[in-house]
Amino acid sequence: MEGAGWEQKIQALTHILINPTTKPSLHSQMLISTQIPCYLNWDYPPLLCPESLKDPIFNLRWNLCLFLKRASRFGAPLTSWRSKCPYYQPPPLIFANGVEEAKWDDEGKRLYIRKRLSRKKLVSEVNPLIPVLLPNLLLLSSLFWNPFPEYD
């Protein structure tokens, strides 16, 4: 957005805030592409961008970046900390795995709080002797068994 003026930035930001979506319409894509410059890590297709008309390889690089971004998530939808908050306003577009839609009645809120408070604590269930004994046993085994016989 370095090359865009304040009027263009405000108009684009207002449009994005008023119409939050993961699948923007062609009209929305056209408006955003004319208001601000395109980037390779942008979700909007660069077909409408002025850079794609100047550089013929720009579309190919954008496709590769989009593929690598989705392949790194193994095709799972992009979730963030907002996706894990069911009572956030406005509600997230995509809920994270295991998060149900918020129930706004009093009973639903009570059940949500009880479920949150009854969860197990985030502690490791590994026996505390294992991190101490395992390295010591490996060291002791190297005393009895010579891993480098050529240096005898």
Side-chain angles (χ1 to χ4, degrees):
M1 294 186 81
E2 300 83 27
W6 279 106
E7 302 260 334
Q8 292 174 317
K9 290 178 185 179
I10 290 173
Q11 189 175 7
L13 183 62
T14 305
H15 177 76
I16 290 171
L17 290 175
I18 291 174
N19 305 312
T21 179
T22 55
K23 295 178 180 142
S25 65
L26 185 61
H27 171 267
S28 177
Q29 294 175 32
M30 185 94 134
L31 177 74
I32 295 297
S33 69
T34 58
Q35 296 297 320
I36 57 177
C38 299
Y39 299 103
L40 281 177
N41 58 356
W42 199 259
D43 285 336
Y44 290 94
L47 302 173
L48 308 169
C49 297
E51 285 90 354
S52 68
L53 299 174
K54 295 176 195 168
D55 185 10
I57 303 176
F58 189 82
N59 290 335
L60 199 63
R61 289 188 305 180
W62 179 80
N63 284 333
L64 181 66
C65 285
L66 186 68
F67 172 75
L68 292 175
K69 188 168 33 169
R70 289 184 181 173
S72 67
R73 297 189 316 255
F74 299 111
L78 183 64
T79 57
S80 68
W81 62 271
R82 274 192 87 240
S83 305
K84 298 175 181 142
C85 305
Y87 288 97
Y88 200 82
Q89 282 298 326
L93 296 172
I94 300 171
F95 283 112
N97 290 340
V99 178
E100 302 121 17
E101 196 170 337
K103 296 180 181 75
W104 286 98
D105 58 335
D106 290 335
E107 187 61 32
K109 289 181 190 175
R110 266 191 224 105
L111 288 173
Y112 179 74
I113 294 297
R114 282 188 194 135
K115 191 161 75 169
R116 288 289 302 261
L117 292 175
S118 68
R119 287 184 186 161
K120 285 192 321 186
K121 296 203 179 352
L122 289 174
V123 294
S124 108
E125 296 183 8
V126 176
N127 189 333
L129 291 176
I130 291 177
V132 174
L133 286 177
L134 194 62
N136 287 331
L137 285 174
L138 289 173
L139 184 63
L140 187 65
S141 69
S142 68
L143 290 175
F144 292 122
W145 170 70
N146 187 3
F148 305 107
E150 62 269 5
Y151 295 118
D152 271 340

